[in-house]
Amino acid sequence: MVKISLRRLYSRRHILNLGTSAITALTVVSLGQLPALSWLIYPFKDLQTAKGSNRRFSVTGKQSLRQRARAKGLIYGALPHVDSPVFDPNPMMKSVFAREFGLMVTGFYWDVVQPSPNRFNFTEIDYFAKFAAANNMLMRGHPLVWSNSLPAWLKDTLNRQNVKQILTSHIETVVKRYAGKMHSWDVVNEAIDIGPRPDNLTKNIWVDLLGPDYIKLAFEITARADPKALLVYNETNLEHKESQQVAVLKLLTQLKAQGTPIHALGIQSHLSGDLDYKNIPKFRKFLRNVAKLGLKIMITELDVIDRDLPTDPELRDRLIAGVYEDYLTTVLAEPAVIAIINWGFTDRHTWIPGYAPRKDGSDVRPLPFDRDLRPKLAWNAIARAIDRSPRR
C-alpha cells in the first residue's frame, strides 16, 4: 500500500476559540415539548467542586455503541484517522473499529485522489471500502468540493472557461467509482464564512470562477453519478455561533427552493471542553428549522477539544464525558438527527494536537477510546445519550 499522510486533516480545521472555564450539565429540563439543557459554568480553580460531581456515567448492558445506535434507528460511525499501513497490521485497532462503528468515513481530498490532471489515486479509499464491506459497515465520503486540500496543478489550471468541465469530470470520476456503495457524500464542505462577502459565502476559487451556483452544480453532478446516496452539505461552528446558523439556514433554504438534490446537513461538532452552551435553545431552534426544510441532520466530526481543561486525566475525562453526554442529549432530541460520527476514535490518532496542543504538554484525550484502545468515560457518555434518545 502507498502511505498517504493525513496531516492535511490537521490543516483543514480552524482553531476554535477556547476559554478558561468549564461547563457541566446538571439537569435536563423541558423546552416546550423538547429537551434542552440547564448549565452551570464554574471556574477550573474550583477543582473540589469538579471532583465532587456525582455524575457516575454508569451504563447498563454490554452492547457496543454500534449496537446501541442501531437499536434506536441511529448510525454511529467514525473516521479511522490513520492510513491503511497503520490500520491494516493492527488487529486490535481493526477489531475495535469493526465492533463499535457501523459507518466508516474515508477522505476524498482532491490533492490525494487526483494529484495530477490525468492521474487518480484510490489506493487508500479502496482498502477502507473493502474493510467496510467485509464488516457490514456503511461508507461515507468526505469531501468532494472544498476550498482547501487542492493540488497546485488545479489552482494553476482553473479559469472561467474550463472550471465547470474540470469540476464535473472530477466529481463524476470519483463518485461513479463508488456509486451504490456509499451511504453518503459530503458534497460541499464549509461554504460559509461570515464577513468577507455580502452573501457570507466563503471566498474561494469555486465561487470566484463559477459564482454561488457552484454549490447547486456540485450537488446535481453528484446526484447524477450516485442517485442512491445521501447528499450532505457539511459545516462548522454551528453549535455556538448564531450568525453561522442564520447564514447556513439561508443557504439551505435557497438550495431547497432551487430544487437542489440535497438531503442532509452535516454539523461538524468540534466541541470545546469549556464551550458556553447558554444559547442552547437557539441551537435547538436551528435544528428544528433545518428539519422543517425536509433535511436530515448528521453529527459528522464529533470530538471534544481539551486544550484548557485540567491536567489531571481523571478529572479531564469526566469533564469531557459531560460535554459529550449533554451535547448528544440535546441533538438526539431532534428526530431529524440520524447519525453520530466521531472525528477519529482513539486518542493516539487525532487531528487536535496539530492545532490545539495542551499547554502543559500532556497528551490530548478528545475521543471515546484512549491511546491503548480502552473505552473511556466518553464512551459511557455516548452510550448513555444514545440509550436515552427516542427511537427513530
Side-chain angles (χ1 to χ4, degrees), residues 164 168 172 175-176 179 217-227 231 261:
K164 184 174 180 179
T168 301
E172 286 182 345
V175 174
K176 286 182 178 180
L217 174 65
F219 276 92
E220 291 172 341
I221 300 168
T222 307
R224 289 195 297 268
D226 191 359
L231 306 187

Side-chain angles (χ1 to χ4, degrees), residues 1-4 82-90 124 127:
M1 292 292 183
V2 178
K3 183 174 182 179
I4 300 173
V82 290
D83 299 310
S84 62
V86 174
F87 190 86
D88 187 54
N90 190 324
E124 287 289 320
Y127 168 82

Side-chain angles (χ1 to χ4, degrees), residues 125-187:
I125 300 169
D126 285 349
Y127 168 82
F128 285 117
K130 184 177 179 180
F131 177 86
N135 290 279
N136 196 29
M137 304 174 73
L138 301 173
M139 276 285 290
R140 172 171 165 74
H142 167 87
L144 292 175
V145 181
W146 188 38
S147 56
N148 290 20
S149 296
L150 300 178
W153 72 262
L154 180 67
K155 291 181 281 189
D156 293 340
T157 302
L158 284 181
N159 57 53
R160 294 186 187 279
Q161 286 69 47
N162 65 20
V163 61
K164 184 174 180 179
Q165 184 275 325
I166 290 177
L167 180 66
T168 301
S169 176
H170 176 83
I171 293 176
E172 286 182 345
T173 301
V174 170
V175 174
K176 286 182 178 180
R177 182 181 180 89
Y178 301 97
K181 301 176 182 178
M182 304 295 289
H183 168 268
S184 53
W185 295 96
D186 278 339
V187 179

Side-chain angles (χ1 to χ4, degrees), residues 143-375:
L144 292 175
V145 181
W146 188 38
S147 56
N148 290 20
S149 296
L150 300 178
W153 72 262
L154 180 67
K155 291 181 281 189
D156 293 340
T157 302
L158 284 181
N159 57 53
R160 294 186 187 279
Q161 286 69 47
N162 65 20
V163 61
K164 184 174 180 179
Q165 184 275 325
I166 290 177
L167 180 66
T168 301
S169 176
H170 176 83
I171 293 176
E172 286 182 345
T173 301
V174 170
V175 174
K176 286 182 178 180
R177 182 181 180 89
Y178 301 97
K181 301 176 182 178
M182 304 295 289
H183 168 268
S184 53
W185 295 96
D186 278 339
V187 179
V188 177
N189 188 55
E190 297 179 1
I192 294 295
D193 184 16
I194 305 299
R197 289 172 51 98
D199 58 7
N200 289 321
L201 291 180
T202 301
K203 185 172 176 55
N204 59 37
I205 196 168
W206 307 114
V207 76
D208 288 347
L209 296 179
L210 284 168
D213 283 345
Y214 85 89
I215 301 173
K216 181 174 184 287
L217 174 65
F219 276 92
E220 291 172 341
I221 300 168
T222 307
R224 289 195 297 268
D226 191 359
K228 294 183 179 180
L230 195 74
L231 306 187
V232 185
Y233 172 71
N234 196 51
E235 191 54 87
T236 189
N237 291 328
L238 289 170
E239 305 82 13
H240 60 284
K241 193 173 179 181
E242 187 176 3
S243 59
Q244 193 84 342
Q245 296 172 9
V246 172
V248 167
L249 190 62
K250 180 179 178 181
L251 172 63
L252 297 176
T253 302
Q254 291 173 341
L255 291 173
K256 290 290 290 184
Q258 294 168 353
T260 307
I262 180 174
H263 309 132
L265 169 67
I267 299 177
Q268 292 181 14
S269 302
H270 295 296
L271 305 176
S272 168
D274 62 351
L275 189 63
D276 185 352
Y277 284 91
K278 65 185 178 182
N279 291 323
I280 202 69
K282 293 181 180 178
F283 182 52
R284 285 290 294 117
K285 182 178 179 181
F286 169 73
L287 297 178
R288 292 196 298 273
N289 286 336
V290 171
K292 288 177 181 178
L293 293 175
L295 297 174
K296 300 298 183 182
I297 300 169
M298 303 177 72
I299 306 303
T300 54
E301 304 181 20
L302 179 63
D303 51 27
V304 177
I305 297 175
D306 64 342
R307 185 179 70 177
D308 292 335
L309 297 186
T311 300
D312 175 34
E314 182 178 350
L315 173 57
R316 200 180 346 152
D317 282 356
R318 185 166 295 279
L319 295 171
I320 290 169
V323 174
Y324 268 113
E325 183 172 21
D326 298 330
Y327 179 72
L328 290 177
T329 297
T330 297
V331 298
L332 291 178
E334 171 52 58
V337 175
I338 62 168
I340 305 164
I341 302 166
N342 277 115
W343 203 238
F345 72 108
T346 166
D347 293 338
R348 184 176 291 275
H349 302 290
T350 167
W351 72 283
I352 291 175
Y355 267 121
R358 288 189 54 79
K359 298 174 183 178
D360 59 14
S362 62
D363 293 330
V364 298
R365 303 180 64 85
L367 293 164
F369 291 87
D370 69 13
R371 295 175 65 84
D372 297 316
L373 294 170
R374 295 172 300 197

